[in-house]
């Protein structure tokens, strides 16, 4: 057994749960077991969720995304994440990186260290602006930009995954709080939660 | 009704009406009206009572600058009626008048109270007899003020959204200059935001005949991509951002460059009776007519120092207001008649007369004898314009007084700040009147006489005069009174206005409810993965640092006993958790901790206390060795962040080959404790939990209920126990599994408070509660955790050597009290002479031991078994007996079982 095996969420039959599960369930989320995680797959009919993504802003729980911490020099530019082997390699310091996604690179599994929400849709930046001062204008933060900073008054990270898709991460224990903040702000913008099926489509 | 026929630039929608109440009476308005314009159109002329003298006050600026139209809207005081949109169903009430706005009993102060209320009167008139001050204060507070807030409010009724906006250029001010600056910036390819406090961009173009140009400029700006925020007041320029309040949103705008096109503020004139309802600034009269189609009066006199007054006269004449005369302070104009209006060159106003409203005006030639009275219901004044430079000053700009123009001028700005403004023709410098009813400051009822008196009493600088008289300190924040107060102070001191200087421009620049800053009602709270389970079990949840933790589950004594007699399950997820890895990890920890860590074999746990360079205790916890190069460090719950920073700081200095990972939130942790804990654990794992295979202070990995865990056999609560660390995602499932497995042993969930009692049984220290910033391990009875014979240097070594050589003055010990009350934590331990010599840090009644136990710092001479100490606690004296050994299981057999 690896010295750090206890960090990896690979239990069976126990179900891994996101810190936002309760809030997502209260918001009407429908859950399914996916890769050992209890995942909110939908909140409304697919067309409704698609419309939300296309016209305003949606948010989806991505806390189950695998995350690893990696130490060493990787030639990364500060503030710029790179896609390697299907995962995002995000520079935390010159000698430390966060790996998002299944990867052989990571050594310390911090999947359960960070709660994550994807903000998706044309108003995703407007939604972020309601709780975060990080500048994610396209001209300043193009796709691949990785911004550590204050997120909803807590330490966090923002990754620009796609032109209209941001991944927001804070400490796992603050996941429920982040969900409340995001849900409240999204509602004011005409947005709301979507399941992973719509988010990943 | 004084509503005019449709005006070219009016903002009202005559096809739609709204209704609100003012002091209970229904007022009908057009959509687009302000509360002020609707009330004025309905015939109201008195809008408020003044702050001190309760004088009648009416509309003056119609721009949200002055205090004269402050009302309460839906219970919120301090709202300016002249800019607040009229809304259906709004409940509008007057402020500061009893019993009614038109019959205010407190107006007697205006008639007889003058001698009692000079500047600084609360230090003078009401200072004797001293014991009466509380009564005076009560009366004064009720007599003055700008409205009342509810004394209690069960819940928030105001919601504010914060919105952060980054831009290349922020333009503040939506007049011609601001719109032009925005268009120029956007043409360069900049991302531009323009904020304007008016209902729509255009500034004075809107009411001075340029509304078509305003509309064109606005459309061009919008088409070019400028984000325009209307009804948005810039509150202040702070380091790196401008706060902008727009309805229920507080924008925090950070820009590369800032353009301030904030225009100018028209100034009133100082003369006797200048506050009577019916005296109005030219801009106010024109806004009322041009934007809301309300005639400001029927017969007017105009007094001006510049062409603005002349233009206003003609504009008012066009809408049917009879202009009785124009007094132009400039003597060198050739015209004597303008469009049939008598033009008095080199004349000024000396008095406005009337009881409830203006009925006549007295004009007089400057420097000559004689005067003429004119009957009128409107006096339009224009005392020149001052640039609105407050925000520029907050942004680092410098303003000086220009003796030639008689107003301030920006002479320097910060590198990324530009001032955009239109040029004005030079006007005359007003000649200020004097007397007790010639008001400089409408907000605070400060008269010209008050300023002169303040100077005669020695308050002869602008800052002292401001604080003494409160001039410029009211809701207008100096917009209407700064310049006049400077002129008056200059006159009283013999200085030039430039020498007098100006007061500091501080945010907020616009009046704003405090609720705006409160944001949304969300508090960053860390919750463990089992938080919902705690709630379902009926836990009392309380703050513990930045975590929400179960204080107890309703039966703290029962929870204590459960751990001693069977088993308890405690959520200890907030413990700090660090991975320290690398070839130098052991050597690094040897330097950080005062005891030896590198000698710890893999699979074992050791207690460690962390000290500062000065040998003072800063944190404590355990260190487990996972393999040769990997250590797992736990810290106190509140110290996790600080310890991680402490480690990183030393690593940066020492440059050792060590990698640090904070996994505090990645791992949940529970303490399964009690004599039955081994049996319960064994039901959920194939791991050998026997005492021989899993010894006290062992660290072993195992699957518990299918979940990969790190188990530490340690015992903070004094019983056989296992601290189980595992991925937070399994918090609920593992918690449930352990409680289910422990049902035969009547396992109970145990909260923070019972845990504190349990550790007290063992005299286990809680850093920060039983220690303070001066506590050393030696004084705290933890000398055993310091290895001064260690070969390596370590943090705090020198100081700890000194502490070991020097007898401590006070020592941390346990104490017990037979019966009696539990002393308050923090109560004082007395020495033999009755002097304070220590303090109680922890005290509880133990349900297990049946007596009061605690810990306290006591004089070293009393730190021996059985010594009697006296504890003084809020007038009570407790006699306690010192205990140097744990109260429970002093030999530790139960821990090691």
């Amino acid at each position: 057994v690896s010295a750090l095996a206890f960090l990896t969420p690979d239990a069976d039959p126990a179900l891994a749960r996101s810190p936002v599960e309760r809030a997502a369930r209260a918001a009407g989320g429908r859950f399914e077991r996916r890769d050992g995680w209890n995942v909110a797959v939908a909140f409304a009919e697919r067309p409704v969720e698609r419309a939300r993504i296309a016209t305003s802003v949606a948010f989806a729980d991505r806390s189950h995304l695998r995350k690893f911490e990696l130490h060493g020099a990787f030639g990364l530019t500060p503030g710029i994440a790179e896609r390697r082997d299907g995962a995002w390699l995000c520079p935390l310091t010159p000698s430390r990186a966060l790996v998002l996604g299944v990867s052989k690179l990571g050594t310390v599994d911090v999947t359960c260290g960070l709660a994550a929400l994807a903000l998706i849709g044309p108003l995703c930046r407007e939604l972020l602006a309601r709780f975060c001062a990080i500048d994610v204008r396209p001209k300043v933060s193009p796709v691949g930009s990785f911004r550590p900073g204050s997120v909803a008054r807590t330490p966090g990270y923002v990754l620009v995954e796609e032109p209209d898709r941001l991944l927001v991460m804070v400490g796992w224990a603050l996941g429920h709080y982040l969900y409340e903040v995001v849900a409240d702000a999204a509602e004011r913008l005409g947005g709301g939660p979507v399941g992973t099926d719509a988010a990943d489509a | 009704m004084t509503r005019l026929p449709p005006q070219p630039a009016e903002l009202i929608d005559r096809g739609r009406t709204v209704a609100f109440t003012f002091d209970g009476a229904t007022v009908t308005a057009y959509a687009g009206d302000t509360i002020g314009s609707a009330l004025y159109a309905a015939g109201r002329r008195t809008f408020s009572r003044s702050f001190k003298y309760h004088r009648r006050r009416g509309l003056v600026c119609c721009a949200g600058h002055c205090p004269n139209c402050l009302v309460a809207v839906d219970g919120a005081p301090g709202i300016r009626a002249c800019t607040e949109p009229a809304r259906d169903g709004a409940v509008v009430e007057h402020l500061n008048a009893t019993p009614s706005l038109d019959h205010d009993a407190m107006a007697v102060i205006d008639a007889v109270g003058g001698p009692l209320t000079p500047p600084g009167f609360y230090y003078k008139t009401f200072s004797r007899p001293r014991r009466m001050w509380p009564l005076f204060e009560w009366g004064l507070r009720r007599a003055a003020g700008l409205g009342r807030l509810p004394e209690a409010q069960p819940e928030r009724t105001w919601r504010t959204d914060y919105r952060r906006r980054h831009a290349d250029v922020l333009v503040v001010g939506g007049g011609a200059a601001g719109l032009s600056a925005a268009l120029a910036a956007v043409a360069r390819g900049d991302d531009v935001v323009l904020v304007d406090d008016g209902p729509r961009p255009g500034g004075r173009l809107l009411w001075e005949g340029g509304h078509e140009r305003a509309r064109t400029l606005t459309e061009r700006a919008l088409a070019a991509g400028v984000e325009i925020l209307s009804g948005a007041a810039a509150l202040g320029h702070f380091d790196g951002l401008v706060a902008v309040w727009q309805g229920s949103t507080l924008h925090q705008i950070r820009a590369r460059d800032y353009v301030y096109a904030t225009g100018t503020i028209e100034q009133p004139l100082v003369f006797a009776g200048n506050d009577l309802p019916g005296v109005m600034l030219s801009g106010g009269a024109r806004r009322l007519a041009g934007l809301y189609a309300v005639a400001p009066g029927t017969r007017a006199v105009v007094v001006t120092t510049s062409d603005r007054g002349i233009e206003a006269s003609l504009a008012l004449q066009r809408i049917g207001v009879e202009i009785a005369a124009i007094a132009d302070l400039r003597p060198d104009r050739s015209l004597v008649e303008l469009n049939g209006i008598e033009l008095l060159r080199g004349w000024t106003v000396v008095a406005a007369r009337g009881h409830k409203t203006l009925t006549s005006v007295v004009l007089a030639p400057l420097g000559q004898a004689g005067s003429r009275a004119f009957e009128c219901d409107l006096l339009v004044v224009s005392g020149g314009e001052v640039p609105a430079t407050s925000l520029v000053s907050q942004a680092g700009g410098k303003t000086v007084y220009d003796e030639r123009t008689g107003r301030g001028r920006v002479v320097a700005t910060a590198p990324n700040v530009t001032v955009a403004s239109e040029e004005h023709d030079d006007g005359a410098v007003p000649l200020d009147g004097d007397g007790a009813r010639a008001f400089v400051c409408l907000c605070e009822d400060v008269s010209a006489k008050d300023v002169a008196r303040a100077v005669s009493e020695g308050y002869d600088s602008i800052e002292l005069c401001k604080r003494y008289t409160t001039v410029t300190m009211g809701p207008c924040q100096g917009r209407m009174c700064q310049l006049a107060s400077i002129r008056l102070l200059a006159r009283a001191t013999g200085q030039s206005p430039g020498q007098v200087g100006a007061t500091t421009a501080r945010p907020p620049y616009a009046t704003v409810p405090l609720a705006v800053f409160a944001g949304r009602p969300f508090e960053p709270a860390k919750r463990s993965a089992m938080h919902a389970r705690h709630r379902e079990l009926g836990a009392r949840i309380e703050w513990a640092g930045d975590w929400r933790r179960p204080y107890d589950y309703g039966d703290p004594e029962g929870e204590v006993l459960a751990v001693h007699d069977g088993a308890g399950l405690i959520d200890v997820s907030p413990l700090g958790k660090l991975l320290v890895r690398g070839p130098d990890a052991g050597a690094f920890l040897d330097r950080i901790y005062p005891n030896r860590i590198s000698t710890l074999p893999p699979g074992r746990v050791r207690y460690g206390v962390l000290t500062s360079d000065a040998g003072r205790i800063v944190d404590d916890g355990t260190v487990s060795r996972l393999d040769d190069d990997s250590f797992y460090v736990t810290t106190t719950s509140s110290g996790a962040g600080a310890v991680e920073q402490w480690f990183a700081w030393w690593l940066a200095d020492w440059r050792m080959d060590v990698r640090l990972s904070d996994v505090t939130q990645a791992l949940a942790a529970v303490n399964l404790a009690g004599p039955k804990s081994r049996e319960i654990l064994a039901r959920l794992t194939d791991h050998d939990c026997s005492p021989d295979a899993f010894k006290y202070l062992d660290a072993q990995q195992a699957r518990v209920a299918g979940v990969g865990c790190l188990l530490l056999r340690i015992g903070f609560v004094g019983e056989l126990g296992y601290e189980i660390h595992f991925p937070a995602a399994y918090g609920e499932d593992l918690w449930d599994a352990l409680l289910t497995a422990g049902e035969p042993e009547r396992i109970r969930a145990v909260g923070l408070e019972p845990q504190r009692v349990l550790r007290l049984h063992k005299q286990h220290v809680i850093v920060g509660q039983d220690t303070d910033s001066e506590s050393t391990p030696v004084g705290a009875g933890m000398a055993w955790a310091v290895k001064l014979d260690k070969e390596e240097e370590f943090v705090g070594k020198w100081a700890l050597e000194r502490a070991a050589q020097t007898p401590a003055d006070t020592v941390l010990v346990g104490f017990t009290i037979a019966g009696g009350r539990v002393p308050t934590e923090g109560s004082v331990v007395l020495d033999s002479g009755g002097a304070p010599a220590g303090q109680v840090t922890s005290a509880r009644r133990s349900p297990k031991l049946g007596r009061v136990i605690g810990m306290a710092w006591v004089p070293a001479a009393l730190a021996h078994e059985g010594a009697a100490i006296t504890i003084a606690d809020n007038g009570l004296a407790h006699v306690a007996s010192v205990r140097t050994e744990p109260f429970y299981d002093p030999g530790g057999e139960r821990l090691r079982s």
Side-chain angles (χ1 to χ4, degrees):
Chain A
V1 176
S2 153
L4 306 181
F6 64 99
L7 290 165
T8 303
D10 60 355
D12 187 40
L15 203 52
R17 299 176 193 278
S18 154
V20 312
E21 182 184 310
R22 295 276 179 154
R25 194 179 292 283
R30 182 168 60 78
F31 286 79
E32 287 181 9
R33 185 176 184 126
R34 300 265 175 95
D35 296 328
W37 286 81
N38 202 30
V39 176
V41 295
F43 287 79
E45 296 300 317
R46 181 65 70 85
V48 174
E49 295 198 342
R50 280 189 184 145
R52 190 171 277 170
I53 289 172
T55 60
S56 59
V57 64
F59 59 95
D61 184 16
R62 308 293 293 166
S63 301
H64 54 276
L65 182 69
R66 296 299 298 273
K67 312 171 199 85
F68 299 90
E69 193 172 280
L70 193 58
H71 291 82
F74 308 100
L76 294 170
T77 305
I80 305 295
E82 289 182 11
R83 289 290 262 180
R84 292 190 191 173
D85 300 330
W88 282 107
L89 193 59
C90 310
L92 297 171
T93 71
S95 60
R96 201 158 65 99
L98 180 67
V99 184
L100 302 175
V102 177
S103 169
K104 295 173 183 171
L105 292 170
T107 49
V108 179
D109 192 322
V110 291
T111 299
C112 299
L114 293 168
L117 292 179
L119 315 185
I120 317 163
L123 296 182
C124 65
R125 288 173 181 77
E126 192 62 44
L127 174 58
L128 185 78
R130 302 307 168 110
F131 57 87
C132 177
I134 292 173
D135 187 356
V136 288
R137 287 177 296 157
K139 65 190 290 185
V140 177
S141 300
V143 171
S145 297
F146 180 70
R147 303 279 183 260
S150 174
V151 174
R153 298 157 59 199
T154 70
Y157 308 102
V158 177
L159 171 67
V160 183
E161 290 189 292
E162 295 172 15
D164 282 340
R165 185 182 177 115
L166 309 173
L167 185 69
V168 179
M169 291 170 282
V170 299
W172 191 268
L174 290 157
H176 184 93
Y177 158 73
L178 179 68
Y179 190 96
E180 286 180 330
V181 169
V182 171
D184 178 78
E187 187 183 357
R188 304 276 283 192
L189 296 171
V194 295
T196 54
D197 288 347
D200 293 340
Chain B
M1 287 289 286
T2 53
R3 193 71 78 172
L4 296 166
Q7 300 296 301
E10 67 183 24
L11 300 176
I12 55 174
D13 178 355
R14 291 175 188 257
R16 215 152 48 90
T17 58
V18 295
F20 62 90
T21 62
F22 180 72
D23 287 345
T26 299
V27 179
T28 304
Y30 289 125
D33 256 325
T34 64
I35 289 171
S37 65
L39 287 172
Y40 205 92
R44 173 154 288 282
R45 294 295 176 266
T46 300
F47 280 70
S48 68
R49 291 283 179 160
S50 69
F51 183 70
K52 192 159 78 174
Y53 298 119
H54 288 251
R55 290 170 64 87
R56 291 173 181 271
R57 293 282 163 82
L59 295 183
V60 169
C61 68
C62 297
H65 291 164
C66 77
N68 278 18
C69 61
L70 290 176
V71 293
V73 179
D74 295 335
I79 306 293
R80 284 182 168 90
C82 71
T83 53
E84 182 72 10
R87 284 182 290 102
D88 238 348
V91 177
V92 184
E93 297 165 292
H94 75 271
L95 302 174
N96 207 32
T98 305
S100 71
L101 189 55
D102 291 322
H103 302 93
D104 181 10
M106 295 302 288
V108 68
I109 298 171
D110 188 34
V112 301
L116 292 172
T117 56
F121 69 88
Y122 25 80
Y123 303 124
K124 301 172 182 172
T125 331
F126 295 96
S127 58
R128 296 284 187 277
R130 185 174 290 181
R131 67 176 182 280
M132 294 293 285
W133 171 246
L135 185 63
F136 293 150
E137 185 186 25
W138 179 85
L140 290 169
R141 285 190 185 279
R142 292 189 68 81
L146 302 168
R148 297 188 199 289
L149 290 168
E151 292 185 3
Q153 186 168 299
E155 59 186 31
R156 295 170 65 136
T157 57
W158 184 297
R159 176 201 166 95
T160 307
D161 280 317
Y162 279 17
R163 176 183 184 245
R164 289 83 179 172
R165 174 71 158 91
H166 294 265
D168 296 329
V169 179
L170 169 64
V171 180
V172 180
L179 285 166
S180 301
L183 281 166
V186 81
R188 291 193 301 267
D190 284 335
D191 174 21
V192 183
V193 177
L194 182 145
V195 302
D196 184 64
D197 57 2
R200 67 174 62 160
R204 69 169 53 163
L205 289 175
L206 295 176
W207 60 86
E208 291 187 353
H211 58 282
E212 285 299 332
R213 186 180 168 217
R215 186 176 57 76
T216 304
L217 286 171
T218 303
E219 286 174 358
R220 281 177 55 201
L222 288 169
V226 175
E227 181 181 355
I228 296 178
L229 304 176
S230 292
L235 301 177
H237 187 122
F238 302 89
D239 286 344
L241 72 87
V242 172
V244 177
W245 173 38
Q246 184 192 35
S248 61
T249 302
L250 186 73
H251 303 265
Q252 298 173 351
I253 304 178
R254 294 166 171 85
R256 182 195 67 215
D257 295 313
Y258 298 88
V259 177
Y260 282 105
T262 42
T264 58
I265 301 169
E266 190 174 28
Q267 297 295 290
L269 296 171
V270 180
F271 56 91
N274 63 343
D275 64 331
L276 261 177
V279 179
M280 196 178 285
L281 289 171
S282 76
R286 296 190 69 178
R287 280 189 191 91
L288 207 52
L291 301 182
Y292 306 106
V294 176
T298 56
R299 189 168 196 268
V301 168
V302 178
V303 182
T304 185
T305 63
S306 70
D307 285 348
R308 286 205 69 187
I310 306 292
E311 291 162 4
S313 303
L314 297 174
L316 291 173
Q317 190 184 46
R318 279 196 294 275
I319 61 166
V321 178
E322 179 190 353
I323 309 298
I326 302 171
D328 189 338
L329 273 75
R330 296 171 295 181
D332 57 347
R333 299 292 162 130
S334 55
L335 282 174
V336 294
E337 187 265 350
L338 182 69
N339 218 25
I341 306 169
E342 183 179 10
L343 182 59
L344 301 167
R345 292 173 296 124
W347 282 55
T348 189
V349 58
V350 293
R353 291 174 179 161
H355 175 51
K356 293 181 178 177
T357 60
L358 180 77
T359 53
S360 67
V361 167
V362 179
L363 303 180
L366 290 164
Q368 296 177 35
S371 65
R372 289 174 60 188
F374 294 83
E375 288 190 358
C376 59
D377 62 358
L378 175 66
L379 172 58
V380 175
V381 297
S382 183
E385 312 226 9
V386 296
T389 57
S390 294
L391 292 165
V392 178
S393 298
Q394 290 169 23
K398 186 180 179 189
T399 306
V400 298
Y401 183 83
D402 187 329
E403 303 282 354
R404 187 179 64 83
T405 61
R407 59 181 186 241
R409 181 163 55 87
V410 177
V411 294
T413 62
N416 64 339
V417 174
T418 306
V419 177
S421 65
E422 56 184 309
E423 290 295 322
H424 299 280
D425 68 329
D426 294 338
V429 176
L431 183 70
D432 300 303
D434 52 22
R437 295 298 178 263
F439 288 97
V440 185
C441 174
L442 295 173
C443 300
E444 305 277 315
D445 269 351
V446 181
S447 67
K449 184 180 176 183
D450 291 334
V451 173
R453 184 164 178 169
V455 171
S456 72
E457 292 180 16
Y459 300 95
D460 55 0
S461 81
I462 189 72
E463 291 288 359
L464 287 177
C465 183
K466 166 187 168 181
R467 285 157 180 75
Y468 189 58
T469 63
T470 67
V471 67
T472 76
M473 290 172 69
C476 92
Q477 286 290 285
R479 285 175 176 82
M480 315 292 285
C481 54
Q482 166 103 291
L483 186 60
S485 67
I486 290 170
R487 285 198 307 262
L488 286 166
L489 200 73
R491 187 168 79 186
T493 59
Q495 297 174 291
S496 71
Q499 290 170 316
V500 168
T503 53
T504 306
R506 295 188 175 88
Y509 179 58
T511 307
V512 58
L514 278 175
V516 167
F517 299 106
R520 292 184 291 151
F522 297 108
E523 191 71 20
K526 289 180 180 167
R527 296 173 170 88
S528 89
M530 292 78 88
H531 184 82
R533 287 288 189 259
H534 302 323
R535 286 205 174 279
E536 288 161 3
L537 289 168
R540 273 199 292 165
I541 305 292
E542 296 203 352
W543 284 101
D546 49 3
W547 290 81
R548 300 288 284 160
R549 299 190 67 178
Y551 184 76
D552 63 40
Y553 296 84
D555 179 19
E557 293 195 350
E559 293 163 32
V560 169
L561 295 174
V563 173
H564 282 309
D565 300 336
L569 190 62
I570 310 170
D571 182 358
V572 293
S573 300
L575 286 173
K577 310 173 195 82
L578 302 173
L579 286 175
V580 182
R581 300 177 302 121
D584 294 339
F588 168 71
L589 293 171
D590 276 347
R591 288 200 198 180
I592 285 280
Y593 284 93
N595 55 346
R596 288 189 184 85
I597 304 295
S598 60
T599 58
L600 189 66
R604 292 290 287 169
V605 186
R606 189 165 288 166
Y607 174 80
V609 63
L610 283 165
T611 69
S612 65
D613 310 50
R616 268 54 176 181
I617 297 170
V618 293
D619 208 88
D620 73 344
T622 61
V623 182
S624 306
R625 190 163 203 163
L626 303 175
D627 63 18
D628 287 346
D629 291 343
S630 304
F631 293 84
Y632 181 67
V633 174
T634 65
T635 74
T636 62
S637 302
S638 57
V643 171
E644 195 266 344
Q645 287 180 21
W646 183 245
F647 281 20
W649 191 86
W650 283 110
L651 268 179
D653 186 39
W654 294 336
R655 298 175 184 275
M656 302 175 82
D657 190 359
V658 173
R659 294 174 290 284
L660 188 63
S661 300
D662 183 350
V663 292
T664 298
Q665 296 184 54
L667 297 171
V670 293
N671 185 4
L672 174 63
K676 304 291 186 186
S677 56
R678 181 179 289 118
E679 294 169 52
I680 297 168
L681 181 63
R683 291 185 191 126
L684 296 172
T685 181
D686 296 333
H687 197 69
D688 186 353
C689 298
S690 67
D692 292 336
F694 200 164
K695 298 184 182 67
Y696 180 59
L697 296 181
D698 268 357
Q700 299 182 3
Q701 289 198 56
R703 288 207 169 260
V704 179
V707 178
C709 302
L710 175 68
L711 294 95
L712 312 180
R713 237 207 91 180
I714 52 180
F716 185 59
V717 296
E719 295 285 356
L720 167 68
Y722 303 87
E723 228 175 66
I724 307 172
H725 297 238
F726 57 99
Y730 300 114
E732 288 191 9
D733 290 49
L734 193 53
W735 175 267
D736 291 346
L738 287 163
L739 285 182
T740 302
E743 278 176 359
E745 284 75 25
R746 298 178 185 277
I747 190 172
R748 295 185 68 163
V750 175
L752 204 53
E753 169 60 15
Q755 183 186 234
R756 288 177 180 154
V757 177
L758 289 160
R759 67 91 199 180
L760 200 52
H761 287 158
K762 298 292 290 181
Q763 293 187 17
H764 286 160
V765 167
I766 294 180
V767 172
Q769 174 162 331
D770 299 308
T771 65
D772 61 23
S773 61
E774 291 302 302
S775 304
T776 68
V778 177
M782 295 193 289
W784 53 268
V786 177
K787 304 300 179 192
L788 292 174
D789 57 346
K790 217 165 56 161
E791 298 77 17
E792 301 86 356
E793 288 292 324
F794 60 88
V795 176
K797 182 178 183 183
W798 177 86
L800 288 168
E801 285 174 343
R802 295 268 299 173
Q805 292 163 7
T806 310
D809 292 334
T810 56
V811 175
L812 185 63
V813 297
F815 68 82
T816 179
I817 300 173
R821 295 171 53 173
V822 179
T824 309
E825 289 174 351
S827 53
V828 176
V829 176
L830 305 177
D831 66 13
S832 53
Q839 66 171 342
V840 173
T841 61
S842 301
R844 294 286 190 279
R845 181 181 302 282
S846 166
K848 180 71 176 175
L849 305 174
R851 60 182 189 271
V852 173
I853 59 173
M855 296 179 76
W857 288 86
V858 303
L862 295 174
H864 57 84
E865 191 71 19
I869 57 172
T870 303
I871 297 167
D873 177 19
N874 294 323
L876 296 174
H878 304 276
V879 177
S881 176
V882 169
R883 285 289 301 271
T884 57
E885 293 284 318
F887 300 105
Y888 179 79
D889 186 27
E893 289 85 1
R894 297 179 73 89
L895 277 177
R896 295 179 174 81
S897 62

